[in-house]
Amino acid sequence: MKEVAIVGAGIHKFGRFPDESPIQIALEAVRMALQDANIPWKAIEMAYCARCYLPASTGARIGAALGKTGISIIDVESACASGAVAIRQGVLAIQSGACDVCVVVGVEKMPRGFMEPTTLGFEPWQVYMGLTTNPSYWAMNARRHMHEYGITEMHIAKVAYKNHRNSVHNPYAMYQKAFTMEEILNSPVVCSPTRLLEICAPNEGAAALVLCASEKAHKYTSKPITIAACVHSLPLYASDFRGPIYQLSAKVSNPNPGVVSAKKAYEQAGISPKDVSVAEVQDTDAFNELIHYEELGFCGPGESGRLIDEGATEIGGRIPVNASGGLISKGEPIGASHVGQMVDLVWQLRGQNGPRQVANARVGLGLVTGAMGHSAITIIKR
Amino acid sequence: MKEVAIVGAGIHKFGRFPDESPIQIALEAVRMALQDANIPWKAIEMAYCARCYLPASTGARIGAALGKTGISIIDVESACASGAVAIRQGVLAIQSGACDVCVVVGVEKMPRGFMEPTTLGFEPWQVYMGLTTNPSYWAMNARRHMHEYGITEMHIAKVAYKNHRNSVHNPYAMYQKAFTMEEILNSPVVCSPTRLLEICAPNEGAAALVLCASEKAHKYTSKPITIAACVHSLPLYASDFRGPIYQLSAKVSNPNPGVVSAKKAYEQAGISPKDVSVAEVQDTDAFNELIHYEELGFCGPGESGRLIDEGATEIGGRIPVNASGGLISKGEPIGASHVGQMVDLVWQLRGQNGPRQVANARVGLGLVTGAMGHSAITIIKR
Amino acid sequence: MPGNEKAQKKQVPIKEGFFTMPLSPLENVRLNGSKCRKCGEVFLGKAIGCENCGSADMEELPLSKRGKLYTYTVIEHRPPGDYKGPDPFVPFGEGFVELPEGLRIVAPLTESKNLKIGMDLELVVHKLFEDANGNEVIAYKFKPV
Amino acid sequence: MPGNEKAQKKQVPIKEGFFTMPLSPLENVRLNGSKCRKCGEVFLGKAIGCENCGSADMEELPLSKRGKLYTYTVIEHRPPGDYKGPDPFVPFGEGFVELPEGLRIVAPLTESKNLKIGMDLELVVHKLFEDANGNEVIAYKFKPV
Ligand SMILES: [Zn+2]
Ligand SMILES: [Zn+2]
């Protein structure tokens, strides 16, 4: 199968930008990625746009402002994993031979507060009954896991502490502010056991990549980053807590989608968890990061509390996770969040991340998971 | 490049179904396609869902009701061409080697009346000023073309007359009713020169295809239909009238996206216009069908009036167009419309279309075009 | 007479198929489910396809009124969208309630304090709001017993 | 005094960048455009990128008040969404107006009858509605001359 490389990466800061349209936000990321690859827009053969809340054909409107070259630009969506499936479609397009060079852009401009429930697919009765608070499903997952394995609220707070501290060095993060453990543990409870400083805000932002068939990547960069795997799974029956669901089976127990995606991704990349140098995972609430340690095999089931206690996932640790500050500090513009993870990992593998650089990073892994249990992982290597 | 075949086709009637959810509507089409291919859902490796107005992750929810097998199912959107880009992603996925068998489903459940403008990407100022009536852009395009080439309102009415008459034999059409020329010409003007009986209604419906690598198609059918081409273009600068636009260049004149798509599609399929046995084109207003005759090379520029006068596009004519009754009679559930075109063309190529069968149909062509100028063509052959 | 006024109101389920009928008296109403004839999995309400095995062959199965709390959280802020609960907002428990038929359903809980995984719960069927046509819209929640 | 009341109202453009400033008196206001410094194409309002050549290097260009009708239709039914025109609805012409700067812009027309491709038109800048803050929202249309 044809190998695909990332030859350009760009990002628009995540945050709140009332004076910028979503198209302007996306343009900044795409122009930065094109410049990074030293490739003109007119040489791009296809493009994919990941968005969930923005209107139809956002990709076409971004393309128009870059010059109407007539290429195929389509929008793709898979809730919080939208950015990942856009990358995946770009990879498949190159592998199919349909093009050699394409752009993937993720962009979102989301309303403040809890995510609007009907766009996410909650039905009216769920809205009326108040069963649509997105983080409440994560919280119920956390509560059950804590009950089974003894993870504590202190472990959850430590994840938030680490990520907020890492964010201080990331100029593209919405919040660049360290908090003390006391501040985190004293922040208001949103949905027990989850606190305000342990949760991420939906916001605005964009990120973009230029993908290229590896055999031609030398035309654009001396440091191509190879996409070793890009996989997307939906949950097996009754294996996921994420909304909008209204029931789970009490009899059927399948591995959850993060585990399934991890297995597929490691196989496709031909690596094992210990080969990962640096990871960006979906810490939309801090507890999820712990779950992802287990799903990704960074530790065994129920051992994620120990892993954070040991400091293994700190920037100087054995397997640094969310060196960027994570979504807790960056916020989650859902079309852009995974593409943004990959932009930061590309910079890690190129060694250009300054104070948040992980020494000698060779393999980067990005993971997202979201509504309906969409789960996706991209692994890159240099 | 690996060849891809259609091994199953299914449809849910287009119309208004207040008692069925979009998921139920889609399920009927997918189950019919799976049964047609004699393949169980659990053997499907990937799926794509085309939708524009439905909420996020509609594809994942359809997949859940078919059995949560964990496969990747993503939503794709390109306005009225959404169904075509879903087929195209399915083709690329198979050609890339990511899977051998996938399902493509298009579904929509649209509000009545003119399409909701902000979902389509119209800006608030366009809404306030009343510049958001979707058919008005088609009408302005028609008015200019008529001015330049002498097409008349009678030519437009003849297209509507033909398509309504063809619809009588299509049980999946919303309206199955023939109208006289008088009835058509006396129907109320919607946006001059376009009349009510010359225009299609947004509605509800679904259609699905099972795609398979041609080398494995024999496992499922003795009559595989080959996808000879599936292309998607956005307009070159200033070459399209479709909304939401607010200006055109008066200096730059590029070929319009239908022409560009036709050239790409014929090249990819290795055929010329005269090889097409039967075509389904986007007659969201009857004038558009005339334009598509010209774009597709069924006649020269400005000669489409003559073509309809000659009866060349009747079911018994040289190049039958919209033997299904077209979108004028079927309605346009935009995620489903192109997939529905291809379902009817598959049946044409298999010779199973009864009274609307085109004799000895060997090559079928489906064309859609829509908001933002999205343009797509799929060519199939037996 | 209050009885008369009550008799005039029509009760409608918050979601078609969620409850055994009739909807009055409320004390007699149970949650209704679908059981897959092929694999035996049970779903809340009227399932259009079995998420476990894909079969569309379902039979109706009224669900038990008693269950156990599998997990929970407390909703501390007004949920997004057109929430029909008390205004001003009152925090409430949300949980997965495990029923003996082999399914766990999401439900609001009557309490927000002293919740405990494994505790026994009982179904409460109640009027949540009146819709635009003056119908009483019937919903469910669970209370500790 | 009517003059005083008028003075209190603030005029705001229906879209930032569409008009030359100030917005009063309305007779002096012209449509404003962007001209690509690289390829010379002209766009209505403030363009964020050249759709022809991709350049982001734009200069402001006030547009002529006179143009010609390139094509048209008549809107016979109330447009969808929050249309701010007369209520009850009055049919109106919609056209592409070709300006000497080399662009054609979509515009409402003051007339719905006797429209003809190639006819001369003139810009009308007018108050379309008052927004929630009491501002006069300024829009444009074209009238035959
Ligand atoms: Zn079953
Ligand atoms: Zn230019």
Side-chain angles (χ1 to χ4, degrees), chain B residues 162 276-278 307 310-321 358-359:
Chain B
K162 167 179 72 69
V276 177
S277 317
V278 52
L307 203 70
E310 290 172 0
T313 55
E314 306 272 347
I315 286 180
R318 173 166 68 81
I319 168 63
V321 176
V358 170

Side-chain angles (χ1 to χ4, degrees), chain D residues 108-119:
Chain D
L109 306 173
T110 55
E111 313 295 321
S112 66
K113 300 214 191 316
N114 302 318
L115 297 169
K116 206 170 146 40
I117 287 177
M119 76 195 301

Side-chain angles (χ1 to χ4, degrees), chain B residues 328-368:
Chain B
I328 279 183
S329 64
K330 293 193 283 189
E332 191 198 16
I334 66 181
S337 62
H338 184 71
V339 186
Q341 290 179 329
M342 298 320 296
V343 168
D344 213 69
L345 290 170
V346 164
W347 293 339
Q348 288 284 4
L349 267 53
R350 291 180 183 161
Q352 63 189 62
N353 254 350
R356 68 181 191 282
Q357 179 66 44
V358 170
N360 195 32
R362 300 187 59 84
V363 175
L365 181 153
L367 175 151
V368 274

Side-chain angles (χ1 to χ4, degrees), chain B residues 129, chain D residues 11-14 18-20 22-32 63-65 110 122-128 137-143:
Chain B
M129 283 172 61
Chain D
Q11 283 87 28
V12 295
I14 194 155
F18 266 19
F19 298 104
T20 57
L23 285 176
S24 174
L26 287 176
E27 312 79 81
N28 293 356
V29 178
R30 292 161 66 183
L31 287 171
N32 210 357
L63 303 174
S64 302
K65 296 185 87 159
T110 55
E122 189 174 64
L123 178 71
V124 179
V125 176
H126 66 108
K127 170 189 152 186
L128 181 62
V137 179
I138 304 303
Y140 66 90
K141 54 190 174 183
F142 277 83
K143 71 167 184 218

